[in-house]
């Protein structure tokens, strides 16, 4: 069963197709986009070992030839050196304006290849084949592409929408449990920010998702992508509502920076901890009842996720230093930190009206229980 969510942006509408076996069917899915039966695939070595030959066979079944570049895995790939290697390789392969590039992998590959497609010959089309849960529910949809700068994450990039997204839910079967749970942090985020019924559903079906229930996984990806598509349609370039997708991210980015973007904290783990902190802050500011952060924390705990700062191994800087790191966030406007807070589960909103002392106190208390 394949589910389809359309992102109906004018003149650039595209489908996100969700379900099993999509890598094996990639040829028939992609063929209608092609001016000639040849594509360039950019991936990373770990994903290549799992899925590249299946993709080659899937494309060949529709008579499509493929050339492939394998970059190293990991966040450090998302920077100028591998980016220029990718762009120059695409030029060497004589990829033309009407050709299509395929990004096969997780968020790092999707962001980097999307950005390469945005600038190559002033913009060519690309297809996302996201293989991580995080990429399927978030980064492959919505057109944010880019790489990291020494000054911070995702500071160099462009909005460039894919022409098609193939979210093959079979690919989730090969994810290590920690990576799956990290992606789940972004799934929970959708329920928390805008869909209380989805959060209710996750409370019941979350364990099935984890144990590999195919139907539950397809449904979770579909609902997440649908919510993202709706938000992107309202606010493609993040002038307003799209910032809601950053629920938990201001705390997360500070924690990722404090842990050196290392394996100590995966992105989705930081999002989960950040969501718990955002709900706690909302309750402390009297915006939502205390039961709401308790319910968020209980669900994350029940799923075996990181919830507290104490769940991050090793030392963390003090509350003042964490607050300073939050101040480097892209969401700072005129020096004012913007927060995504909530009036309850499923009711997030954006505000700059948060007293710094409250944030400092929250972080001090959170660090004290380590
Ligand atoms: N991942 C947040 C966004 O796409 O806006």
């Amino acid at each position: 069963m394949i589910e389809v969510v359309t992102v109906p942006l004018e003149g650039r509408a595209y489908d996100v197709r969700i379900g099993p076996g999509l890598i094996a069917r990639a040829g028939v899915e992609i063929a209608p986009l092609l001016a000639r039966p040849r594509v360039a695939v950019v991936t990373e070595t770990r994903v290549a070992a799992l899925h590249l030959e299946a993709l080659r066979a899937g494309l060949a079944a529709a008579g499509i030839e493929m050339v492939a570049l394998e970059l190293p895995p990991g966040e450090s790939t998302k920077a100028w050196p591998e980016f220029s290697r990718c762009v120059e390789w695409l030029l060497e392969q004589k990829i033309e304006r009407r050709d299509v590039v395929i990004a096969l992998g997780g968020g790092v590959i999707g962001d980097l290849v999307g950005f390469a497609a945005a600038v190559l010959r002033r913009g060519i089309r690309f297809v996302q084949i996201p293989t991580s849960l995080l990429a399927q529910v978030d980064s492959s949809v919505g057109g944010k592409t880019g790489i990291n700068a020494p000054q911070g994450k995702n500071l160099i990039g462009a909005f460039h929408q894919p022409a098609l997204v193939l979210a093959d839910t079979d690919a989730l079967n090969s994810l290590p449990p920690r990576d799956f749970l990290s992606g789940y942090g972004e799934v929970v985020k959708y329920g928390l920010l805008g869909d209380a019924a989805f959060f209710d559903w996750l409370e019941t079906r979350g364990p099935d998702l984890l144990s590999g229930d195919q139907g539950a996984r397809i449904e979770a990806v579909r609902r997440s992508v649908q919510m993202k598509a709706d938000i992107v349609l309202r606010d493609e370039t993040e002038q307003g509502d799209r910032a809601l997708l950053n629920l938990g991210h201001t705390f997360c980015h500070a924690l990722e920076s404090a842990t050196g973007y290392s394996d100590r904290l995966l992105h989705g783990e930081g999002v989960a901890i950040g969501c718990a902190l955002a709900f706690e802050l909302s309750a402390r500011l009297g915006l939502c009842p205390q039961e709401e952060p308790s319910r968020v924390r209980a669900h994350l705990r029940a799923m075996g996720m990181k919830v507290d700062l104490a769940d991050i191994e090793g030392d963390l800087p003090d509350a003042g230093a964490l607050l300073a790191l939050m101040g480097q966030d892209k969401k700072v406007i005129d020096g004012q930190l913007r927060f995504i807070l909530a009036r309850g589960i499923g009711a997030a909103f954006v505000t700059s009206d948060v007293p710094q002392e409250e944030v400092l106190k929250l972080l001090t208390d959170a660090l004290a229980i380590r």
Side-chain angles (χ1 to χ4, degrees):
M1 178 194 53
I2 304 295
E3 295 281 353
V4 183
V5 174
T6 301
V7 185
L9 289 163
E10 211 177 324
R12 291 161 303 141
Y14 59 94
D15 284 348
V16 182
R17 302 176 71 80
I18 302 155
L22 281 165
I23 292 178
R25 283 179 50 79
V28 279
E29 298 285 348
I30 291 169
L33 299 175
L34 301 183
R36 58 173 172 160
R38 181 172 187 263
V39 291
V41 178
V42 182
T43 185
E44 47 102 325
T45 50
R46 274 181 324 201
V47 170
L50 293 166
H51 304 299
L52 192 59
E53 286 318 307
L55 179 59
R56 191 189 304 277
L59 292 167
I64 301 167
E65 186 201 328
M66 164 192 125
V67 286
L69 172 68
E70 296 180 29
L71 299 175
E75 188 71 28
S76 59
T77 290
K78 224 176 105 172
W80 286 122
E82 296 299 338
F83 176 74
S84 50
R85 184 176 156 204
C86 172
V87 170
E88 285 169 22
W89 177 80
L90 289 169
L91 291 170
E92 276 160 22
Q93 297 303 319
K94 305 208 169 11
I95 295 304
E96 298 172 2
R97 197 85 186 267
R98 294 185 315 155
D99 287 333
V100 167
V101 176
I102 297 177
L104 173 71
V108 165
I109 287 296
D111 286 7
L112 180 144
V113 177
F115 185 37
V119 297
L120 191 82
R121 301 187 191 279
R122 297 203 178 89
I124 64 170
R125 291 165 305 151
F126 79 114
V127 172
Q128 291 267 22
I129 305 187
T131 53
S132 69
L133 180 58
L134 185 139
Q136 292 194 356
V137 298
D138 185 28
S139 57
S140 68
V141 180
K144 278 190 183 175
T145 72
I147 56 174
N148 302 328
Q151 290 79 1
K153 269 185 87 171
N154 297 326
L155 292 181
I156 303 156
F159 286 99
H160 186 54
Q161 300 290 341
L164 175 69
V165 181
L166 298 177
D168 186 337
T169 46
D170 283 340
L172 304 177
N173 298 338
S174 47
L175 290 179
R178 188 179 173 199
D179 286 347
F180 185 88
L181 272 183
S182 169
Y184 187 75
E186 298 279 4
V187 175
V188 174
K189 178 194 79 176
Y190 287 106
L192 295 177
L193 77 89
D195 189 345
F198 185 38
F199 186 78
D200 293 347
W201 185 86
L202 290 172
E203 283 182 318
T204 314
R205 300 299 306 275
D208 300 334
L209 287 179
L210 202 52
S211 62
D213 181 314
Q214 187 71 239
R217 286 183 170 186
I218 293 171
E219 179 63 1
V221 176
R222 184 193 67 77
R223 288 176 83 154
S224 301
V225 168
Q226 184 64 62
M227 197 177 316
K228 180 146 192 188
D230 293 344
I231 292 175
V232 167
L233 189 63
R234 292 205 296 276
D235 177 23
E236 183 182 1
T237 57
E238 201 168 312
Q239 308 301 311
D241 267 11
R242 186 163 180 165
L244 293 173
L245 294 170
N246 294 322
L247 176 63
H249 283 62
T250 307
F251 291 107
C252 170
H253 289 156
L255 294 170
E256 282 184 296
S257 171
T259 49
Y261 301 98
S262 68
D263 268 6
R264 281 175 64 198
L265 186 72
L266 303 181
H267 178 70
E269 295 174 337
V271 171
I273 296 174
C275 286
L277 286 169
F279 269 78
E280 178 61 30
L281 184 57
S282 303
R284 286 182 180 209
L285 294 172
L287 296 163
C288 75
Q290 182 58 48
E291 293 75 57
E292 300 291 70
S294 304
R295 200 176 149 202
V296 174
R297 295 168 53 79
H299 178 56
L300 297 175
R301 257 309 156 231
M303 292 295 288
M305 300 186 70
K306 289 185 169 56
V307 183
D308 294 312
L309 298 189
D311 297 324
I312 303 172
E313 271 176 34
D315 292 336
L316 285 176
D318 65 20
L322 283 177
L323 188 63
L325 288 173
M326 291 171 79
Q328 320 237 319
D329 199 270
K330 280 200 297 309
K331 291 182 291 304
V332 173
I333 296 180
D334 288 340
Q336 279 282 90
L337 255 179
R338 275 195 308 161
F339 281 88
I340 321 301
L341 297 180
R343 297 199 171 82
I345 287 169
F349 64 99
V350 187
T351 178
S352 300
D353 189 18
V354 178
Q356 205 153 302
E357 318 79 72
E358 282 297 336
V359 184
L360 201 56
K361 194 164 173 311
L362 174 81
L363 291 170
T364 306
D365 294 347
L367 285 163
I369 52 168
R370 280 173 65 79

